[in-house]
Structure formats: C-alpha cells, structure tokens
C-alpha cells in the first residue's frame, strides 16, 4: 500500500472551535462543513465539532445524511435549494435554507402546505455573487415574514474583503440598512471577520477555514492566531537518487543540479491532490526537517532535496503540509490558498484519525 495518508486530528478541530468561541463569545456557531468538511471527512469533522450550535454546508445530500445519523441541531444550506423538487426533502429534514433569488422565493410558494422553514435571507452587500440587493431586500424580507412556509427568518450576508485592508465596513453599512427596524437574527461573519471584526459577529458566526487550522489572512499565520492544523498530509520517501552537476529531475527536466545532490522520491503526486503547479522550492518536511521540492510534480510522485537531512533514506517520513508546516505556506508557494489544497485531497488518499 502506498504510504500516503491524511491524518485528521479531532483534538485540533475541537481546539479551533474553542478559538472561535473565545473570539465570538456571545454568538452561536454554524460550523461550516461544505465540501466534505473542507476535505477532512464530513462525519469525522462533525463528530469532533459536535458542540457547535449548528452546521452549514451547500450539499443537500450531505445535510440529509447528517440528519439520518441523528444530528439534531440546525443544519443550514448556505446556497439554499437548487430545484423545487428539493423542497419537500428539505422540509422533512428540517433544514435551514438560504433564500438568495426570486427563483427560490417561487420554490417556497410551491412548498407543501405543512412545510415550515427556518430561512436565511441572503443579502448582496457587495460580493455580487448571491443575494438580493439591499434596496429590494426590505420588501423581500417583509413578504417572507408573512409567508406561510417561513417559521423563522435570519438575515445573512457574506464578506468579500474581510481578509484584507478594505475590511468589512463598506458592506456592514449596506447590511445594517436592511432590517434596522426589525429584531431579526443576523449572520455575517466568516473566519476573517470572526478574527478581526467583532462588531460583525451578531447572532450566528460561520467559521470555515479557521476550524481546520488555517489562516484566512496573508499577513498573519495560523500559529499566530492560535490555530492548530487539523489535517496533516503525510507520506514517505520511496527512493533516493544521487545526482551530479548537470543532471535533471523529472518531466521536462525543469530542475538541474549544479553539483552533487541527494534527491528523495516521495509517494505523493497530483493524483493525490498535491498541486501540480507547485514550483521547485515549495516547502516540505523530511524527518521533520524543512526542505524543498525539486522539479515538476508528477501524478503519483514528487521529488525533494535531501541535502543536510541526517538519516534521510527510503522510509523517511514526509509531511507535505500540516503538523510543522502550515498548508498556508505550501499554498502561498503554489499560488493558491489552503482551502483549495485541503478540498483537493483525492479519494484515493486514506484518512486516518489521530
Ligand atoms: C464557505 C463559507 C463560509 C466560511 O468561510 P471561511 O472563510 O472558510 O471561514 C461562511 N459563509 C459562507 C456563506 C460560505 O460559503
């Protein structure tokens, strides 16, 4: 069996939820578990996060699956329903549904007579992706408050720039404008806003990336935020090559040795979810020592520099990201974000609880 594994730490997930609680002590928490809990495994993650006040995701099949395992707290569908055929299913399983469009309002109108939903009315305050514009949202809010299929209404928005210098103030103004005269529950904050903008916390916060131990920011590390990595992508060296000056490594020979060099072959490639576009120099740990990748990542393998790593040999441990090397750093080197790395871990990589 190939030695690659994704080690998932329930303790880290619980710890990171504790950080959310410390940051937002007066808010309830929707733990965001879309995309198979950002690649960590839905059941494993939701078990570790059982003290969250609710779960939020975008896949209705996964939401129904959670109900079937007995999950009794709120489950929110952040993008709501995709088709009117889902209305009865969502009602039967008491799913909280976002309503972001006229089409979704029509689905509510078509709901069975006994269907009653918790609805999150999504307001577009500047992301310009989903939601009603603030000037139409007030009218939609009022019609939902009277709607036979609505048992509770929460106002929701999503921030586009909570992780950078532009902040959230420009969107908060638009959000406050809707429902300022109504005592409705509100939900706005993602991880970045939870960490930096306490004024946005309101009734329900929606942490995703910070639960998994990565940072939403480019100027502050996960460790500096007190977060612990929940996923460690680990493998081993399966071959060692001795190179001389002028020898090249891998497809297209993009890396050329300038002198004698010991290179290790790691059982991890892009078919495991490691980014193919990670360039030479992307950080990696061998025997817990930080080194770099060499040459192109191939489907099942990648190469690393073993210079200066005592005892490096076939069987040596490799950490692609996680414990000791944040996925944020690997993502930065590969021109992406940790979210994408974790979501992309392939089904062929076994997940192991640690
Ligand atoms: C994914 C998502 C979140 C979580 O965002 P993070 O940056 O991972 O904290 C919150 N709200 C909505 C609507 C989302 O889609």
């Amino acid at each position: 069996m190939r030695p690659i594994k994704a080690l998932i730490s329930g303790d880290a997930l619980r710890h990171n939820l504790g950080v959310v609680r410390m940051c937002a002590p007066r808010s309830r928490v929707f733990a965001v578990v879309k995309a198979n809990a950002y690649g960590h495994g839905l059941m494993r993650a939701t078990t570790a996060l059982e003290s969250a006040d609710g779960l939020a995701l975008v896949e209705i099949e996964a939401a129904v699956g959670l109900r079937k395992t007995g999950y009794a707290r709120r489950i929110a569908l952040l993008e709501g329903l995709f088709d009117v055929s889902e209305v009865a299913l969502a009602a039967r399983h008491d799913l909280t549904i976002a309503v972001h469009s006229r089409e979704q309002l029509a689905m509510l109108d078509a709901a069975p007579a006994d269907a009653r939903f918790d609805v999150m009315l999504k307001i577009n305050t500047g992301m310009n992706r989903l939601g009603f514009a603030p000037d139409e949202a007030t009218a939609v809010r009022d019609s939902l408050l009277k709607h036979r299929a609505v048992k509770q209404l929460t106002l929701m928005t999503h921030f586009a720039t909570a992780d950078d210098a532009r902040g959230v103030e420009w969107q908060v103004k638009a959000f406050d404008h809707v429902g300022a005269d109504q005592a409705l529950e509100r939900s706005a904050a993602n991880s970045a806003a939870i960490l930096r903008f306490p004024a946005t916390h309101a009734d329900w916060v929606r942490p995703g990336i910070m639960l998994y131990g990565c940072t939403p920011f480019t100027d502050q590390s996960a460790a500096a935020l007190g977060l612990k990595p929940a996923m460690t992508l680990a493998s081993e060296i399966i071959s060692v090559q001795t190179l001389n000056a002028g020898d090249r490594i891998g497809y297209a020979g993009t890396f050329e040795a300038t002198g004698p060099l010991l290179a290790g072959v790691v059982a991890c490639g892009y078919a495991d979810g490691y980014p193919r576009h990670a360039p030479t120099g992307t950080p990696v740990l061998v025997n817990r020592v930080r080194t770099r990748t060499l040459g192109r990542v191939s489907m099942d393998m990648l190469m690393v520099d073993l210079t200066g790593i005592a005892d490096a040999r076939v069987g040596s441990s490799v950490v692609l990201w996680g414990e000791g090397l944040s996925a944020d750093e690997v993502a930065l080197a590969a021109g992406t974000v940790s979210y994408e790395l974790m979501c992309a871990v392939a089904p062929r990589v076994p997940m192991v609880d640690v």
Side-chain angles (χ1 to χ4, degrees):
M1 194 170 125
R2 296 173 71 237
I4 188 167
K5 297 180 196 70
L7 311 172
I8 308 295
S9 166
D11 283 343
L13 290 164
R14 280 185 286 274
H15 168 87
N16 296 332
L17 178 57
V19 176
V20 173
R21 295 281 189 203
M22 278 191 342
C23 292
R26 281 177 293 280
S27 303
R28 280 164 288 163
V29 176
F30 270 126
V32 179
V33 294
K34 61 195 179 192
N36 196 27
Y38 290 42
H40 292 64
L42 185 64
M43 283 306 149
R44 182 179 290 105
T46 54
T47 301
L49 298 170
E50 66 183 357
S51 73
D53 304 289
L55 302 172
L57 68 180
V58 299
E59 305 90 349
I60 191 169
E61 317 74 46
V64 169
L66 285 164
R67 278 287 184 250
K68 288 187 173 160
T69 66
Y71 190 83
R73 299 185 183 183
R74 279 178 82 169
I75 303 178
L77 293 175
L78 293 170
E79 296 173 10
L81 304 177
F82 294 88
D83 189 85
V84 68
S85 63
E86 296 170 339
V87 175
L89 185 67
R92 190 167 347 119
H93 293 286
D94 194 22
L95 304 181
T96 295
I97 55 173
V99 169
H100 65 74
S101 67
R102 300 268 162 207
E103 291 75 11
Q104 289 181 330
L105 290 174
M107 292 179 204
L108 275 184
D109 293 342
D114 58 344
R116 307 257 296 145
F117 291 99
D118 287 333
V119 169
M120 299 178 86
L121 172 59
K122 180 122 186 199
I123 299 154
N124 171 20
T125 55
M127 180 87 170
N128 293 322
R129 194 173 59 177
L130 296 181
F132 294 92
D135 59 6
E136 57 178 346
T138 305
V140 175
R141 176 201 67 192
D142 291 343
S143 72
L144 286 174
L145 284 171
K146 288 181 287 201
H147 201 288
R148 64 173 167 86
V150 178
K151 65 177 164 190
Q152 196 195 340
L153 191 63
T154 304
L155 301 179
M156 167 165 71
T157 195
H158 193 55
F159 296 127
T161 56
D163 56 333
D164 70 32
R166 286 166 287 184
V168 296
E169 203 45 49
W170 62 283
Q171 288 187 257
V172 166
K173 270 201 204 104
F175 191 42
D176 282 348
H177 184 70
V178 182
D181 54 337
Q182 301 269 340
L184 295 175
E185 291 199 343
R186 294 164 160 264
S187 175
N190 57 3
S191 296
I194 290 166
L195 291 159
R196 289 212 171 146
F197 301 105
T200 66
H201 291 169
D203 301 284
W204 288 89
V205 293
R206 305 191 306 268
I209 197 69
M210 69 183 289
L211 291 175
Y212 305 101
C214 289
T215 180
F217 306 118
T218 52
D219 62 352
Q220 201 174 14
S221 71
L225 294 165
L227 302 170
K228 294 186 180 167
M231 175 195 288
T232 296
L233 185 63
S235 190
E236 292 178 6
I237 301 287
I238 60 166
S239 176
V240 175
Q241 300 289 337
T242 308
L243 307 186
N244 298 306
D247 289 346
R248 291 170 174 274
I249 287 184
Y251 288 118
T254 59
F255 174 81
E256 182 180 346
T258 55
L261 178 77
L262 214 54
V265 181
V266 181
C268 175
Y270 60 78
D272 299 301
Y274 195 91
R276 183 178 173 280
H277 49 273
T280 289
T282 300
V284 55
L285 305 182
V286 176
N287 284 348
R288 299 174 183 241
V289 178
R290 190 182 173 104
T291 181
R292 57 179 184 144
T293 63
L294 300 174
R296 283 220 179 131
V297 173
S298 47
M299 186 181 289
D300 310 306
M301 290 172 275
L302 58 82
M303 268 70 92
V304 296
D305 189 346
L306 298 180
T307 306
I309 302 179
D311 308 329
R313 54 176 174 78
V314 170
S316 291
S317 73
V318 175
V319 168
L320 287 314
W321 63 69
E323 194 66 50
L325 173 65
S326 176
D328 297 312
E329 268 194 77
V330 177
L332 183 68
T336 183
V337 287
S338 55
Y339 300 71
E340 187 182 15
L341 296 186
M342 297 190 296
C343 291
V345 172
R348 79 171 182 179
V349 177
M351 294 223 176
V352 180
D353 295 299
V354 294

